[in-house]
Amino acid sequence: MIDNNEKYVTVICFNQFHGKKIFKIGSILRLIKEPDNNHDAEAIRTDMRYAGKVGYLANSTQTVVRGTMSAGRVYDKIDDENAYAIVKFISHQNVIAKIIEEDELAELKKDPENDVNFI
């Protein structure tokens, strides 16, 4: 059952970087705001350990998968320094991730080998 407080997002533009093959269920993504992005003032980049930049959060009605939030809707809801998401679903065309809340992040950071400690 999905908790109504959980925030899901769609990752796009991955073909401009490493493609979809780099994503695995459970992959940790760091969410980085790019307010100076020329294409979108609410752009949120996604980075992964070992790979760097891997995509962006969707922010248009054509790219946001139904049931997920646009970058614009989550922009003010995420921390500028410690925003992360975890990949939950991968389809032929989409990567869907769940934003990691503060309490979840604190638990993940307790594991010295967890990717949140390296990206």
Side-chain angles (χ1 to χ4, degrees):
M1 187 160 112
I2 295 178
D3 180 346
N4 288 335
N5 293 323
E6 293 180 338
K7 296 173 190 74
Y8 287 85
V9 291
T10 306
V11 179
I12 61 168
C13 298
F14 41 78
N15 288 327
Q16 295 175 8
F17 304 104
H18 304 285
K20 193 174 61 174
K21 68 183 179 292
I22 197 161
F23 296 95
K24 305 288 184 243
I25 301 296
S27 294
I28 301 292
L29 307 172
R30 180 153 185 215
L31 308 179
I32 302 165
K33 295 178 183 180
E34 288 187 347
D36 297 329
N37 185 299
N38 292 330
H39 302 288
D40 184 355
E42 297 173 319
I44 300 174
R45 186 178 84 224
T46 59
D47 286 11
M48 285 176 66
R49 181 179 183 185
Y50 302 120
K53 189 187 300 187
V54 295
Y56 283 87
L57 297 190
N59 202 24
S60 79
T61 55
Q62 286 91 18
T63 56
V64 174
V65 171
R66 186 175 181 193
T68 66
M69 299 174 74
S70 67
R73 286 188 58 211
V74 299
Y75 196 87
D76 292 330
K77 294 175 177 64
I78 63 172
D79 189 307
D80 288 350
E81 301 296 321
N82 282 313
Y84 296 88
I86 185 167
V87 174
K88 291 293 190 173
F89 307 98
I90 302 170
S91 73
H92 294 294
Q93 298 176 353
N94 299 299
V95 174
I96 307 293
K98 183 180 86 68
I99 294 181
I100 299 171
E101 299 297 331
E102 287 182 36
D103 56 333
E104 295 172 289
L105 183 59
E107 281 300 311
L108 293 173
K109 285 187 172 189
K110 289 179 183 177
D111 176 2
E113 297 301 315
N114 193 291
D115 288 350
V116 298
N117 294 310
F118 297 95
I119 53 174

